[in-house]
Amino acid sequence: MTAPRNVPEKPALEGLEAKWDRVWEADGTYRFDRTATRDQVYSIDTPPPTVSGALHVGHIFSYTHTDTLARYHRMRGKQVYYPMGWDDNGLPTERRVQNFFGVRCDPSLPYDPDFAPPEAPGKDELPISRRNFVELCEQLTATDEQVFEQLWRRLGLSIDWRLTYATIDERSRRASQRAFLRNLARGEAYQQEAPSLWDVTFRTAVAQAELEDRERPGAYHRLAFKRSDGRDLLIDTTRPELLAACVAVVAHPDDSRYAPLFGQTITTPLFKAAVPMVAHTLADPDKGTGAAMICTFGDTTDVIWWRELDLPVRAIVDRGGRLVSDPPPGIDPGPYAEIAGRTVNGAQQRIVELLKESGELIGDPRPITHPVKFFEKGQRPLEIVTSRQWYIRNGGRDQKLRDALIGRGRELNWVPEHMRVRYENWVGGLNGDWLISRQRFFGVPFPIWYPLDADGRPDYRRPIAADEARLPVDPSSDAPPGYAEDRRDRPGGFTADPDVMDTWATSSLSPHIACYWEDDPDLFERTFPMDLRPQAHEIIRTWLFATVTRAHFEHGALPWSTAAISGWVLDPDRKKMSKSKGNAVTPMATLEAFGADALRYWAASGRPGTDTAFEEGQMKVGRRLAVKILNASRFVLGQEPAADSEAAETLDRALLAHLGDLVDDATAAFDRGDYARALESTETSFWSFTDDYLELVKNRAYGGRGGRAGASARHTLETALDVYLKLFAPFLPYVTEEVWSWWRQGSVHRSAWPEAGELRAEAGDVNPAAAAVAADALREIRRIKSDAKVRLGAAIATATVTDTAERLAVLAQVAEDVADAGRCRELLTAVGTELSVTAELEAETAA
RNA sequence: GGGCGCGUAGCUCAGAUGGCAAGAGCGCUUCCCUUACAAGGAAGAGGCCGGGGGUUCGAGUCCCUCCGCGCCCA
């Protein structure tokens, strides 16, 4: 019986990607079936890549990991909900739109429905409304998304491409505003006038999660303050320019040098302000002279001192990083006129000169290097200014909430497990709530207005919330409920909240956006809480934590059950690959050079959470594996089909038993998120299948030992091929699909994951050692030929296998296969203590 | 300074609950065009598992300590 099998004469990898991408798209292979119920669904909270950036191999790496899991669960019978998001919210996009079109966002302007951007960016940026700006953003990112999608498709991500979202699109804005309004209604969001970290370049407040310390040069300046008894009190400071903002002098309560001074009044140099001497445990006796000036505000410790010691405010730095023009009360305005309006650096220079002249600078400044807080995207040190900001509670000021959120972290299944610690350290170390307002113009605006009193002053205590049914709104162009647009910014009318939300305030809702929260309750119920959040480890403190917090408030639950944290891709120098370092590799070029399956093989061999070197050698190995699969499949499928036959021979049944174990191993590995282990097991097994089993049964498969033994071999070969194709399918989607199409209907990616039980049932009570005994004997025979420098096909007259009686008993069951594979006319055995083989080579007849 | 991870053949890495006389691939050496595969196949060489202590019948695997590297945080 010869069934038509479409096995090519010279199978090749070239062209498979374009071919199968087309078929998968046409057949809807990866489409989500939304009639599936929640327990039949596996849903993935795909990280939305920043479209204004470029994809690099790091993306290839981690997105491949997720895709292998998606494909595995699909084959396990789940409906996989695997959408793709695009992150086009936030500063990178804002800057890109500005530069590309030569415009800037001005929310005070009305929307112009006929607006068209200038042909070429002009000299001056053209101010446009927020809505127009968002439209340009969507226009620009649409092309970026195309490029990204092409790459993802080439890589073979099994995304349902009907399911995409963008973080600035209407649905995302609606979800973001809705969640905020609900936080506000429940008291989880609040606004407060308070000192907060401020970036003077971007002129916006920034959150604790966006800070980073950078080592910067500075200098200790020793200043002479005056005690009430007229003696000097020396204080070291790195920020003498803040002297005018000094509100107190502090020392440690146990510091005997200063104990007598506590409660007394100290006079500051130059400005002659009278400030109290106070005690606080955060004052470090070993730093400088042990006494420090408290300024409003030089650093975060100043904020703590100011708050806990109930000190007044004497603010001198404005939001642009310059000193305010008018001196604060209580200081000598004379010297202040010298520094008013200067930048912080300029003020420092002048202050030092003034202190030198007055003799109040003791000695020369002593240069040091110290950590300074920066906005992670900023270039100038952060200042601390007092401003009105929106916050969402995150446990930073509430132990009970903090404990609850740490509890959520413990509920979550972390892959790898040790990443949980990063979450706990971060949440445990919070020192304030999450500041979500940004004084930017592009982004999701707060759906909030304020009533204006008769004098036109906003009443911040009575914010007017948007109607949920009308979201998303832009308060700068939409009027609040109960007001007409002509009451905007008029006494007795209303004014819009000018701020936008932090990008994390929107991306923390990615599960809600992806699952159509409130927009499609039926779909939401089938997909949320999600199963998997894949992401990078450096944004555990931001994206992961914020997402957990929002879901905790909104649903009292985790947003997903598992978080899979990926590692970095390192270059050969063990440094993280990134574009800025100039060592990043272009993904498309790599894809074209090695093929998607090869690149995926490299990516999938990086264990979960482990940093992995970018190594072309691994890609070559992946390519070789894919070619091997083609060739081995050609051999298996080139035989007569073995319909209705069964595994009768010992060697065949031993292979089936081994395959049962392999399936168990790979399945268990996938179930704990360890795709790399599943690949490694499968690959190791597959190579021994081709190297040993295939050679051992070749003669039988060709019919050398008659019908039943041959059918057994062919049947087992087919069964094994079926299993290997399925186990490799999550990693090598193209080559496995290609081979599948030679003899099977449908897609391997929609086929059922193999069942270990079925394989073992057919194997019966075979001794699984038979395969190893046969392979060992064959290896010894090969060695004899190799040592004799003859070809492997050379015939052996008589071979004698010496081994233990136990192993010889097993060998007896597979002896014919060994003799055939070794080309031995006669195979004898002798009992001994360990395996050895001797052989008499047959004389080669001259060809 | 704190936390986490890592340090196993020249290179890239595996080595669950301690049993290994230490594994894979690449690279290297030698051989082989055998009817799946010469962009291949076979065989082989190569390691005091970062150093030092300890627990144990037994440690790459557990504990302590030191050294080096990376990341996160302060």
Side-chain angles (χ1 to χ4, degrees):
Chain A
M1 185 176 75
T2 311
R5 281 175 176 170
N6 187 17
V7 184
E9 198 49 44
K10 270 277 175 193
L13 298 175
E14 282 63 38
L16 294 188
E17 290 149 19
K19 171 182 174 185
W20 289 110
D21 178 57
R22 264 199 307 279
V23 172
W24 293 334
E25 178 65 29
D27 292 355
T29 305
Y30 306 125
R31 285 197 191 159
F32 175 70
D33 173 5
R34 63 169 296 162
T35 64
T37 55
R38 183 65 194 87
D39 60 313
Q40 298 166 328
V41 168
Y42 187 81
S43 53
I44 301 172
D45 186 15
T46 314
T50 305
V51 283
S52 50
L55 288 174
H56 53 84
V57 286
H59 288 103
I60 299 279
F61 184 64
S62 55
Y63 281 74
T64 296
H65 299 163
T66 304
D67 188 60
T68 62
L69 296 174
R71 289 179 181 277
Y72 164 71
H73 286 286
R74 193 177 289 112
M75 294 175 76
R76 287 298 299 272
K78 296 282 191 182
Q79 279 299 321
V80 175
Y81 189 70
Y82 190 9
M84 177 59 70
W86 310 112
D87 188 9
D88 48 10
N89 189 4
L91 276 175
T93 303
E94 178 171 350
R95 272 187 264 174
R96 188 157 140 73
V97 172
Q98 275 178 346
N99 296 336
F100 191 88
F101 294 109
V103 297
R104 72 182 163 82
C105 179
D106 181 349
S108 68
L109 294 174
Y111 174 62
D112 176 2
D114 301 320
F115 174 77
E119 294 275 320
K123 212 172 186 176
D124 296 316
E125 289 178 338
L126 184 66
I128 60 173
S129 76
R130 177 147 54 204
R131 192 163 151 197
N132 286 116
F133 195 90
V134 169
E135 284 178 0
L136 287 184
C137 159
E138 286 170 340
Q139 184 185 325
L140 183 61
T141 53
T143 46
D144 295 332
E145 288 164 15
Q146 287 294 312
V147 174
F148 277 40
E149 181 175 333
Q150 287 314 306
L151 187 73
W152 286 149
R153 282 178 174 277
R154 180 80 180 260
L155 185 62
L157 297 190
S158 57
I159 302 270
D160 183 343
W161 286 105
R162 299 169 310 168
L163 305 171
T164 59
Y165 68 85
T167 54
I168 198 65
D169 71 16
E170 180 171 319
R171 224 155 48 71
S172 295
R173 296 200 307 272
R174 180 159 56 235
S176 186
Q177 292 186 334
R178 185 193 299 122
F180 170 77
L181 289 176
R182 294 192 181 181
N183 289 139
L184 180 63
R186 290 189 297 256
E188 294 143 5
Y190 63 93
Q191 60 178 328
Q192 192 182 33
E193 176 100 11
S196 53
L197 290 151
W198 185 270
D199 186 283
V200 297
T201 306
F202 292 107
R203 289 177 178 254
T204 180
V206 300
Q208 187 184 350
E210 295 169 301
L211 304 185
E212 62 184 35
D213 284 358
R214 296 182 196 159
E215 287 292 327
R216 283 295 130 106
Y220 269 128
H221 300 71
R222 180 156 291 186
L223 273 44
F225 286 54
K226 278 278 188 278
R227 296 160 38 156
S228 50
D229 60 9
R231 291 165 60 193
D232 279 352
L233 172 62
L234 301 182
I235 286 174
D236 283 336
T237 178
T238 57
R239 300 203 62 184
E241 71 276 15
L242 295 180
L243 182 55
C246 176
V247 293
V249 175
V250 68
H252 194 277
D254 300 337
D255 193 331
S256 56
R257 293 171 294 178
Y258 301 106
L261 298 178
F262 292 138
Q264 294 196 15
T265 297
I266 309 292
T267 304
T268 65
L270 284 183
F271 301 104
K272 309 303 176 204
V275 300
M277 180 84 197
V278 295
H280 194 281
T281 50
L282 283 180
D284 184 354
D286 299 326
K287 227 169 169 179
T289 63
M293 63 175 188
I294 301 177
C295 303
T296 53
F297 297 93
D299 61 22
T300 50
T301 314
D302 282 339
V303 178
I304 296 170
W305 281 329
W306 167 78
R307 189 186 298 136
E308 296 189 2
L309 299 169
D310 201 20
L311 297 166
V313 176
R314 194 169 273 160
I316 60 168
V317 178
D318 72 13
R319 297 180 179 197
R322 289 177 180 274
L323 271 63
V324 295
S325 49
D326 297 325
I331 71 165
D332 180 352
Y336 188 82
E338 299 280 332
I339 54 171
R342 288 178 184 255
T343 63
V344 168
N345 287 339
Q348 183 179 94
Q349 280 187 10
R350 186 65 190 130
I351 281 279
V352 169
E353 289 167 8
L354 293 172
L355 285 166
K356 275 182 181 162
E357 288 166 18
S358 70
E360 288 165 309
L361 180 68
I362 309 301
D364 288 327
R366 307 190 305 284
I368 56 159
T369 303
H370 61 153
V372 177
K373 291 202 186 312
F374 281 73
F375 174 39
E376 59 189 359
K377 295 185 173 71
Q379 289 84 41
R380 291 167 70 187
L382 291 171
E383 293 295 341
I384 295 175
V385 306
T386 300
S387 56
R388 189 185 53 80
Q389 303 287 349
W390 283 102
Y391 295 84
I392 289 180
R393 299 182 197 283
N394 66 359
R397 299 170 62 179
D398 173 356
Q399 191 62 43
K400 271 183 71 178
L401 177 57
R402 182 183 308 215
D403 291 345
L405 290 170
I406 289 177
R408 292 284 174 221
R410 299 214 171 116
E411 278 175 56
L412 184 60
N413 174 39
W414 294 81
V415 180
E417 170 65 30
H418 65 80
M419 292 293 180
R420 182 196 313 276
V421 180
R422 300 199 183 197
Y423 175 91
E424 295 196 358
N425 287 349
W426 175 253
V427 180
L430 288 169
N431 54 33
D433 281 332
W434 174 18
L435 194 165
I436 59 161
S437 44
R438 295 292 180 276
Q439 288 65 54
R440 302 299 305 170
F441 312 110
F442 173 67
V444 179
F446 284 86
I448 292 290
W449 302 261
Y450 304 99
L452 296 175
D453 66 14
D455 298 325
R457 282 189 308 241
D459 183 354
Y460 293 118
R461 291 165 308 169
R462 293 194 298 129
I464 307 165
D467 180 353
E468 238 191 54
R470 290 187 48 213
L471 300 178
V473 298
D474 184 344
S476 68
S477 56
D478 297 317
Y483 287 86
E485 177 61 32
D486 63 4
R487 304 309 299 153
R488 180 182 297 278
D489 295 328
R490 307 269 291 268
F494 67 89
T495 191
D497 187 305
D499 291 351
V500 295
M501 294 186 219
D502 170 17
T503 59
W504 298 115
T506 299
S507 54
S508 60
L509 297 162
S510 60
H512 297 81
I513 296 165
C515 298
Y516 287 71
W517 176 50
E518 298 282 319
D519 288 339
D520 186 341
D522 175 75
L523 180 61
F524 190 72
E525 196 167 303
R526 294 171 196 275
T527 51
F528 185 94
M530 304 184 87
D531 292 274
L532 180 69
R533 155 62 74 83
Q535 67 160 81
H537 52 62
E538 82 277 13
I539 51 175
I540 289 173
R541 61 175 176 159
T542 47
W543 193 33
L544 191 147
F545 175 53
T547 312
V548 168
T549 303
R550 301 310 281 284
H552 175 75
F553 283 145
E554 192 59 44
H555 308 284
L558 280 174
W560 358 257
S561 50
T562 295
I565 310 297
S566 59
W568 295 114
V569 175
L570 306 175
D571 72 6
D573 297 331
R574 309 261 76 197
K575 294 276 180 259
K576 181 194 159 193
M577 280 218 179
S578 67
K579 213 169 60 165
S580 58
K581 293 204 177 85
N583 58 2
V585 178
T586 316
M588 196 48 104
T590 312
L591 265 171
E592 281 165 0
F594 297 96
D597 282 343
L599 203 52
R600 291 173 61 102
Y601 171 89
W602 160 74
S605 59
R607 308 191 95 73
T610 306
D611 295 346
T612 300
F614 179 83
E615 221 208 333
E616 296 195 341
Q618 275 297 98
M619 294 167 205
K620 288 182 186 155
V621 172
R623 189 175 172 80
R624 203 162 66 96
L625 174 63
V627 170
K628 194 76 174 179
I629 289 171
L630 286 177
N631 286 316
S633 301
R634 198 173 92 81
F635 168 73
V636 172
L637 298 177
Q639 309 308 314
E640 296 259 307
D644 301 327
S645 48
E646 57 176 6
E649 296 289 313
T650 297
L651 188 67
D652 303 338
R653 293 196 287 125
L655 179 72
L656 295 178
H658 161 77
L659 288 174
D661 292 344
L662 171 64
V663 168
D664 273 346
D665 190 74
T667 304
F670 264 125
D671 281 341
R672 57 175 192 270
D674 191 352
Y675 48 83
R677 164 69 186 224
L679 171 59
E680 189 191 23
S681 300
T682 305
E683 189 193 6
T684 302
S685 166
F686 180 71
W687 281 111
S688 84
F689 168 73
T690 59
D691 292 350
D692 298 332
Y693 179 80
L694 232 54
E695 296 300 328
L696 286 162
V697 302
K698 202 174 261 182
N699 185 46
R700 256 199 298 135
Y702 286 140
R705 293 231 319 272
R708 187 156 182 263
S712 173
R714 293 192 295 273
H715 167 78
T716 308
L717 284 167
E718 285 180 18
T719 305
L721 182 62
D722 183 84
V723 168
Y724 283 123
L725 289 177
K726 287 173 172 178
L727 294 185
F728 276 131
F731 307 102
L732 311 171
Y734 290 108
V735 73
T736 52
E737 187 76 315
E738 171 69 12
V739 172
W740 190 260
S741 75
W742 294 348
W743 66 317
R744 292 277 152 103
Q745 297 298 307
S747 170
V748 68
H749 303 298
R750 281 286 184 182
S751 70
W753 191 251
E755 289 286 341
E758 290 175 8
L759 293 163
R760 282 208 201 85
E762 193 178 352
D765 61 352
V766 67
N767 185 343
V773 168
D776 290 345
L778 180 59
R779 186 164 304 113
E780 289 300 314
I781 292 168
R782 284 173 180 154
R783 175 156 51 186
I784 286 166
K785 294 182 182 177
S786 184
D787 289 348
K789 303 193 175 186
V790 298
R791 63 195 172 83
L792 287 173
I796 286 174
T798 306
T800 306
V801 177
T802 305
D803 208 341
T804 62
E806 195 185 348
R807 281 172 60 95
L808 288 177
V810 178
L811 181 67
Q813 299 176 45
V814 296
E816 285 183 86
D817 288 335
V818 172
D820 284 346
R823 308 279 199 279
C824 308
R825 296 205 191 286
E826 192 178 23
L827 190 69
L828 303 176
T829 60
V831 175
T833 53
E834 59 177 14
L835 175 65
S836 68
V837 178
T838 56
E840 246 177 72
L841 286 160
E842 238 170 48
E844 291 278 304
T845 48

